[in-house]
Amino acid sequence: MNLGITGKWALVCGASKGLGFGCAQALAREGANLVIVARGDEALQAAAQTLRADAEVPKGTKVEAIAADITTPEGRAKVFGFRKDFDIVVTNAGGPPPGDFRDWDREAWMKAVDANMLTPIELIKATADGMAARGFGRIVNITSSAVKAPIDILGLSNGARSGLTGFVAGVARTSKLASANVTINNLLPGSFDTDRLRGNFAGAAKKTGKPVQEIMDARMKTIPAQRFGNAEEFGATCAWLCSAQASYITGQNVLIDGGAYPGTY
Ligand code: NAP
């Protein structure tokens, strides 16, 4: 299926590796021009090179890499200084650390809310009206399955991302955006084999003294698909949500978790 996004400009945040990179790759393979963002310049430039050299990316597709912390006003100014009129925006940044709510002070909360709620809102604010004026826009927020099925030690994530989810539910349904072919959806990963997930398992292994592989196997057994997801399949779903064909899908929370969420709705 041709997704109808050749030549569109996509901003993909948190894209030097993991799920963000998966989204960037899938969009570039559909011919979308990219601005990819991460803080670490070396890994980001390497990611850009991989995309430019990808045989499945159509010739002429542009890939720009901007090293910036997307959770800061300065970082966002750097990105929008390069280009303002994005057709596609994938919001993403690192998730907050796990822990016990008794240990989180105002600073810890503000950091989580800034990264996982206010930053996507700022990115939507900066791009949605321009998209509406041009008659095409796709915004995908990478959130977490924890929005639907909260995980106790991820309280910072549960809280901040639920705030974003509530905001998106309202703004996506404003007729000014929805009637102008601008959609805003959230993509909710379950367990994906990325550095972040492996880092979590390494932490659990240290705490419990169990081998990492044993912890990973135990987690996999809880997932009906009996495996972790990979960034490529995550990216493919993201690209589909950004397609011309997905114009009637907005304000949704799309779970991608191998069947791990046990509810009907
Ligand atoms: P990852 O493998 O650690 O990759 C994170 C990417 O985001 C890197 O490119 C990182 O590069 C970049 N990044 C982090 N903070 C940034 C910032 N402030 N500004 C710009 N770029 C930033 O993580 P992932 O597994 O792909 O996860 C992506 C998101 O999905 C996270 O919010 C995570 O909590 C959420 N999630 C993941 C899973 C999973 O199973 N993997 C499940 C549920 C939710 P730099 O560090 O160089 O900036």
Side-chain angles (χ1 to χ4, degrees):
M1 188 192 276
N2 179 340
L3 299 188
I5 53 174
T6 302
K8 302 282 188 203
W9 271 93
L11 167 63
V12 186
C13 305
S16 64
K17 60 180 179 173
L19 304 181
F21 179 80
C23 296
Q25 185 178 51
L27 290 166
R29 287 179 175 176
E30 288 298 320
N33 298 314
L34 294 180
V35 172
I36 58 171
V37 180
R39 292 164 303 178
D41 192 42
E42 203 178 317
L44 184 68
Q45 297 303 336
Q49 254 332 98
T50 303
L51 293 168
R52 290 181 194 118
D54 188 329
E56 290 182 47
V57 173
K59 278 200 169 50
T61 305
K62 296 181 185 69
V63 180
E64 302 289 340
I66 298 180
D69 182 342
I70 201 67
T71 67
T72 64
E74 299 76 25
R76 292 190 289 275
K78 200 171 167 189
V79 170
F80 292 121
F82 172 76
R83 182 179 190 95
K84 281 196 181 68
D85 50 346
F86 290 101
D87 308 298
I88 294 167
V89 174
V90 179
T91 77
N92 178 35
D100 185 319
F101 78 93
R102 294 165 191 83
D103 300 327
W104 297 327
D105 56 14
R106 181 176 169 77
E107 202 189 330
W109 271 108
M110 287 318 295
K111 215 173 157 193
V113 168
D114 234 348
N116 299 108
M117 179 182 171
L118 298 180
T119 293
I121 291 172
E122 288 291 348
L123 293 169
I124 292 167
K125 188 175 156 190
T127 56
D129 285 341
M131 291 172 173
R134 295 188 300 279
F136 181 97
R138 300 286 183 266
I139 300 175
V140 174
N141 305 298
I142 300 181
T143 64
S144 173
S145 60
V147 170
K148 274 184 84 94
I151 301 164
D152 56 356
I153 56 167
L154 293 180
L156 290 170
S157 171
N158 302 336
R161 295 190 204 271
S162 293
L164 173 66
T165 304
F167 170 78
V168 167
V171 78
R173 290 175 171 84
T174 55
S175 57
K176 187 176 173 198
L177 297 178
S179 72
N181 191 22
V182 177
T183 70
I184 313 179
N185 293 291
N186 304 316
L187 195 46
L188 284 57
S191 297
F192 278 78
D193 190 0
T194 65
D195 284 359
R196 176 175 165 90
L197 191 73
R198 285 179 179 273
N200 289 349
F201 288 137
K206 218 169 153 190
K207 219 166 148 184
T208 60
K210 289 183 186 164
V212 175
Q213 194 60 47
E214 191 182 316
I215 295 172
M216 286 174 68
D217 290 347
R219 169 70 78 82
M220 261 188 256
K221 284 200 186 106
T222 68
I223 303 168
Q226 300 282 291
R227 66 176 179 87
F228 297 133
N230 62 65
E232 202 166 326
E233 61 195 334
F234 187 87
T237 307
C238 176
W240 174 74
L241 281 175
C242 295
S243 69
Q245 291 88 341
S247 64
Y248 210 49
I249 300 170
T250 195
Q252 299 304 304
N253 290 287
V254 179
L255 258 179
I256 172 162
D257 70 348
Y261 176 70
T264 308
Y265 304 108

